[in-house]
Amino acid sequence: MFPYEFRQYPPIDSTLFSQSATAAQLLMKDASVILAKFAQSKSFATTIMSLAQQGKTKQVQQMVQSLGIRSKVDIYFNPDGIRLTLSPSTVGCCQLVIGLRWNVF
């Protein structure tokens, strides 16, 4: 007999789950704006990569934020690519992580 078989769970309240899903939809919209810019503007993508290679995280952050997104974006990059973590600017309910490669080694 396993002790976890008798575990009592609290009553289900999907309020936070639904709120997280709604917030995640907004993150998806912001992600779509960012990805569209990366895909459609070679000069924007080139500038992002150039700044990243120079270690200018703040400038990369500013360029991404200049796209009019409302989400908080944490940016990490290395020689292989870039990772953007989007989260709501007000509530810490969810995150959306996007990883893009820009080098093949």
Side-chain angles (χ1 to χ4, degrees), residues 21-64:
T22 299
Q25 287 178 315
L26 297 174
L27 298 180
M28 294 283 284
K29 286 180 183 177
D30 281 346
S32 182
V33 169
I34 295 167
L35 294 174
K37 188 68 170 183
F38 287 171
Q40 296 167 2
S41 175
K42 186 171 178 145
S43 65
F44 190 87
T46 300
T47 302
I48 291 283
M49 289 179 68
S50 176
L51 290 170
Q53 285 181 344
Q54 297 171 48
K56 297 184 177 180
T57 306
K58 188 172 184 172
Q59 287 90 336
V60 172
Q61 183 84 33
Q62 288 170 342
M63 284 188 68
V64 170

Side-chain angles (χ1 to χ4, degrees), residues 26 30 65 68-72 87-89:
L26 297 174
D30 281 346
Q65 288 296 147
I69 62 171
R70 298 186 311 182
S71 303
K72 178 180 177 268
S87 53
S89 55

